[in-house]
Amino acid sequence: MTQNKQKNNSDLLRLISSLNAYRLRIYTAISCSVLNRIFDLAPPVLIGLSVDVVVQEENSWLATLGFSSVPSQLGILAFASLFIWTAESFFEYLYGFLWRNLAQSAQHSLRIKAYKHIQELEMSFFENDSTGRLMSVMNDDINQLERFLDHGANQIIQLIVTVIIVGGAMWIIAADVAFLAFIPIPLILWGSLNFQKKLGPRYKEVRKKAGDISSRLSNNLGGMLTIKSFVTEDWEVNRLIQASDLYRQSNRKAIQYSAAFIPLIRFAILFAFLAILLVGGIKTWNKEMAIGAYSFLIFITQRLLWPLTTLGHTLDEYQRSMASTVRVLDLIDRPINISGGSLQINPKQVRGEVIFKNVNFNYYERSNTFKNFNLKIDAGMKLGIVGSTGSGKSTIIKLLLRLYPLNSGKILIDGIDIEKINLRDLRRSISLVSQDVYLFQGTIAENILYGSNTDSIIKVEEAAKLSEAHSFIEKLPNKYETIVGERGQKLSGGQRQRIALARAIMKDAPILILDEATASVDNETEAAIQRSLLKITKSRTTIVIAHRLSTVRNADRILVIDKGIIAEAGTHNFLIEKKGLYNDLWKVQAGTID
């Protein structure tokens, strides 16, 4: 239990630390909550004073302040009531306004902070996690914290203020009677803490199941074509039913505790109220307590104890929010394994010489992809890289872009270790066109302009012409303003590839990489891309990774990668004459294999 308590305190401190920028707003909101509760607790005092006035008349407590007549005393009470109700309403408006705006600001801040941090994480993080879970964390979990800050924080503060003020007032007026009202409080607090201890792990499980559902939905919506083509709609519905039912079951376990709490607390409150009613009534009947004091105690006891019934609901919200907050903060606190260097470079001044020097690398829980790997690419060279699937071709590009950390060795650009270069400057120096083209929801023009520092439609058209995309774009109804759809699904594979190539041209980086850019296009599109490459590869270093050997046939140098090593290197004609691996691949693709 001590470990759970320490963990809860640690999680709360992490949350408070993350909201450090809003300290002034938090203090102001707390002050308004306190003042609202103070004025909210004043009416029972007014009721007690009113009873005292009509019973004691000129001998009432107000009479000792100089208001001898009953009408003047009642007038003072009426004026005080007007002031108290106005102040209570004013501070209720303020704390509502402040807490809700704080909730929105905190939600916004945490979501942006989490997303910015995610963008800095290495690619292995995304390969080992699911998009649906990450979306659940940055959306559902952060919204859960917002709901708690909207109401729960204010309720906790006002509950504490109520116990302190009401308890103190009751103790001053009639300590022996007030003692009876405090008897159930330890029981209520013990029950609340035990409730919190039991409920915390259950809500953590609820959030995990919610993430599983988001992951399932994200995967299914992204793979709808596969689902339809394999006629697995019913199977996927059943899998979603199972995931949703597990979420429902985990919620049911939490509800079993939260639903039982308030009815049990009410019995504890009933005991205190009956004790005040009976003992206080007998003391008043025996003239041992003033009628006004007795009236005050009857009304204030409910004000003291009844809010405790909301403690269960408040703790329920708190546990939900903390379970969600921990997931958000854990994401934000995840260490960044790849950090950029301090050296800033101007991409326009990069010549494009690339050297891999004794590079050792393996993916997580896999054997070595590269062991003492060495490679030199001269500035302005057009290098082709071929090889079987899994040989390490694309890994070369991922390491050059610093998407993964090296085990050892160095990668140099123009003689500079890339680990010393500012990460953004490094990646600005490289344009990548991958096999899996990703177009963003928006227009063709917006996708071509993506990542560039201009909005010139003339340059967009120039890039489209170089990539052989202009002709098909001009035939579309809205031309460059055509919406491409999510992931570019409204366009064909070849059209997407040519737009991606235009986007790379717009970036105008000194190093151009085509990673299987022609693997899934038709012969006409490949020919178009080949024509584009003849124009855009001049005066820049170009690395072309391809399954289709025709794509790299005209390269200055071709590497054949086999199991992480350079098995062969040379021009197309040289490798054909060598009659090695490259020649075998060429025969297979040419259909001339014996």
Side-chain angles (χ1 to χ4, degrees):
M1 181 174 178
T2 302
Q3 290 180 344
N4 287 335
K5 185 175 180 181
Q6 289 175 344
K7 186 179 185 306
N8 288 336
N9 291 338
S10 174
D11 293 337
L12 182 59
L13 290 175
R14 290 171 68 195
L15 173 59
I16 292 172
S17 176
S18 69
L19 300 177
N20 196 46
Y22 304 104
R23 279 185 301 175
L24 180 59
R25 288 199 221 176
I26 292 173
Y27 294 150
T28 305
I30 290 173
S31 299
C32 290
S33 293
V34 170
L35 289 169
N36 169 261
R37 179 53 66 187
I38 290 173
F39 285 111
D40 181 61
L41 294 172
V45 178
L46 296 177
I47 291 172
L49 291 174
S50 299
V51 172
D52 187 52
V53 167
V54 297
V55 173
Q56 300 293 337
E57 298 182 354
E58 286 82 3
N59 297 319
S60 69
W61 179 80
L62 279 177
T64 62
L65 299 179
F67 303 98
S68 56
S69 68
V70 171
S72 64
Q73 293 179 47
L74 293 176
I76 290 297
L77 290 175
F79 178 79
S81 298
L82 176 63
F83 172 76
I84 288 169
W85 251 272
T86 302
E88 179 193 0
S89 300
F90 175 69
F91 287 111
E92 182 175 2
Y93 164 77
L94 281 183
Y95 83 63
F97 176 82
L98 290 169
W99 281 117
R100 289 175 186 175
N101 276 280
L102 175 64
Q104 293 297 320
S105 298
Q107 176 196 46
H108 171 75
S109 176
L110 280 176
R111 180 175 288 119
I112 299 303
K113 190 174 182 180
Y115 177 73
K116 286 179 67 176
H117 186 78
I118 281 178
Q119 287 194 138
E120 301 298 322
L121 295 174
E122 63 281 2
M123 288 303 297
S124 59
F125 168 78
F126 299 96
E127 292 168 358
N128 295 323
D129 213 324
S130 70
T131 303
R133 192 194 78 84
L134 295 176
M135 289 178 63
S136 175
V137 170
M138 290 191 290
N139 192 37
D140 296 343
D141 288 327
I142 290 177
N143 288 345
Q144 192 68 52
L145 173 62
E146 177 208 359
R147 285 191 285 271
F148 173 72
L149 289 176
D150 263 352
H151 307 288
N154 171 70
Q155 290 174 343
I156 290 175
I157 292 167
Q158 293 201 333
L159 181 60
I160 294 171
V161 172
T162 298
V163 171
I164 293 173
I165 293 179
V166 173
M170 292 178 69
W171 201 264
I172 292 171
I173 292 173
D176 52 346
V177 178
F179 172 76
L180 298 172
F182 281 86
I183 290 177
I185 291 181
L187 177 62
I188 293 172
L189 292 177
W190 175 84
S192 299
L193 292 175
N194 189 58
F195 165 83
Q196 181 183 10
K197 177 186 173 184
K198 297 281 188 183
L199 201 57
R202 284 169 170 77
Y203 277 130
K204 184 177 180 180
E205 182 68 14
V206 168
R207 298 315 310 155
K208 180 181 180 300
K209 298 303 181 186
D212 291 343
I213 291 177
S214 294
S215 178
R216 172 64 53 204
L217 289 171
S218 177
N219 284 333
N220 286 12
L221 293 174
M224 194 56 67
L225 176 61
T226 303
I227 291 172
K228 287 180 178 296
S229 63
F230 280 84
V231 198
T232 55
E233 291 92 341
D234 292 341
W235 187 60
E236 290 297 345
V237 167
N238 288 331
R239 291 214 293 177
L240 181 60
I241 288 173
Q242 292 175 7
S244 183
D245 190 59
L246 288 174
Y247 173 70
R248 182 179 62 177
Q249 294 297 335
S250 60
N251 256 311
R252 181 180 296 173
K253 293 177 182 178
I255 291 169
Q256 286 176 348
Y257 278 87
S258 61
F261 183 76
I262 291 179
L264 293 175
I265 295 301
R266 284 188 177 183
F267 278 101
I269 293 171
L270 176 62
F271 167 81
F273 182 75
L274 292 177
I276 294 291
L277 180 71
L278 295 173
V279 176
I282 290 172
K283 288 176 71 70
T284 303
W285 180 54
N286 291 329
K287 310 299 183 184
E288 297 174 13
M289 181 188 295
I291 295 175
Y294 177 60
S295 302
F296 169 76
L297 288 175
I298 288 291
F299 283 104
I300 208 67
T301 299
Q302 290 198 56
R303 288 298 184 98
L304 170 66
L305 297 176
W306 193 251
L308 293 175
T309 61
T310 66
L311 188 60
H313 177 70
T314 303
L315 287 176
D316 183 55
E317 283 192 345
Y318 173 75
Q319 282 297 346
R320 283 179 181 269
S321 68
M322 287 310 300
S324 295
T325 300
V326 166
R327 280 159 53 93
V328 177
L329 295 179
D330 283 348
L331 182 60
I332 292 174
D333 291 341
R334 186 181 180 91
I336 297 172
N337 294 325
I338 298 179
S339 57
S342 58
L343 180 63
Q344 293 185 327
I345 61 173
N346 184 348
K348 293 183 179 180
Q349 296 177 356
V350 172
R351 293 184 298 109
E353 180 192 65
V354 177
I355 297 176
F356 282 67
K357 190 174 182 180
N358 297 322
V359 168
N360 289 281
F361 171 77
N362 66 280
Y363 292 102
Y364 181 67
E365 295 184 341
R366 298 189 202 174
S367 58
N368 280 353
T369 304
F370 290 131
K371 187 174 182 180
N372 295 324
F373 182 80
N374 291 279
L375 170 64
K376 181 178 180 182
I377 308 172
D378 294 329
M381 173 185 282
K382 180 180 177 182
L383 177 72
I385 302 178
V386 300
S388 60
T389 301
S391 61
K393 304 186 301 297
S394 295
T395 303
I396 293 174
I397 308 309
K398 294 174 181 177
L399 296 180
L400 181 59
L401 282 163
R402 291 203 70 202
L403 300 178
Y404 295 85
L406 299 179
N407 295 350
S408 63
K410 292 182 180 180
I411 300 176
L412 311 173
I413 290 182
D414 292 352
I416 304 172
D417 188 343
I418 63 172
E419 292 188 6
K420 296 180 180 179
I421 300 174
N422 177 279
L423 200 54
R424 294 181 182 276
D425 288 348
L426 170 67
R427 292 172 181 169
R428 286 190 184 103
S429 303
I430 303 170
S431 289
L432 171 66
V433 181
S434 64
Q435 176 183 358
D436 184 20
V437 172
Y438 193 101
L439 299 184
F440 294 90
Q441 171 75 342
T443 66
I444 289 176
E446 288 170 345
N447 273 280
I448 295 176
L449 284 166
Y450 186 79
S452 64
N453 296 319
T454 180
D455 57 358
S456 170
I457 191 63
I458 295 176
K459 290 186 176 181
V460 168
E461 291 181 2
E462 289 175 355
K465 289 174 181 176
L466 282 172
S467 67
E468 302 278 345
H470 181 73
S471 58
F472 86 78
I473 294 173
E474 284 294 306
K475 294 176 183 177
L476 297 173
N478 295 316
K479 299 182 179 179
Y480 285 87
E481 294 305 310
T482 299
I483 300 296
V484 302
E486 188 175 1
R487 298 181 65 93
Q489 62 186 355
K490 292 184 177 182
L491 303 177
S492 70
Q495 290 172 335
R496 289 197 296 269
Q497 284 287 2
R498 280 181 271 184
I499 290 174
L501 187 57
R503 181 165 62 190
I505 293 170
M506 281 293 295
K507 189 176 181 181
D508 194 25
I511 300 173
L512 174 65
I513 299 172
L514 279 78
D515 186 5
E516 305 284 11
T518 61
S520 58
V521 299
D522 55 34
N523 292 331
E524 181 183 350
T525 302
E526 184 188 9
I529 292 176
Q530 290 282 20
R531 290 194 298 270
S532 301
L533 290 178
L534 291 174
K535 302 172 186 175
I536 65 178
T537 56
K538 294 177 182 178
S539 71
R540 78 178 75 221
T541 302
T542 306
I543 303 173
V544 181
I545 296 174
H547 275 300
R548 293 184 180 182
L549 302 189
S550 57
T551 306
V552 298
R553 181 174 182 174
N554 297 318
D556 299 324
R557 189 177 181 217
I558 300 170
L559 304 181
V560 181
I561 305 293
D562 183 38
K563 297 179 182 178
I565 63 171
I566 300 175
E568 295 178 356
T571 62
H572 172 78
N573 291 333
F574 173 82
L575 293 175
I576 290 293
E577 292 174 1
K578 190 177 180 181
K579 299 187 183 300
L581 288 174
Y582 184 85
N583 184 57
D584 291 341
L585 291 171
W586 181 260
K587 285 183 176 180
V588 170
Q589 293 191 17
T592 60
I593 190 168
D594 296 334

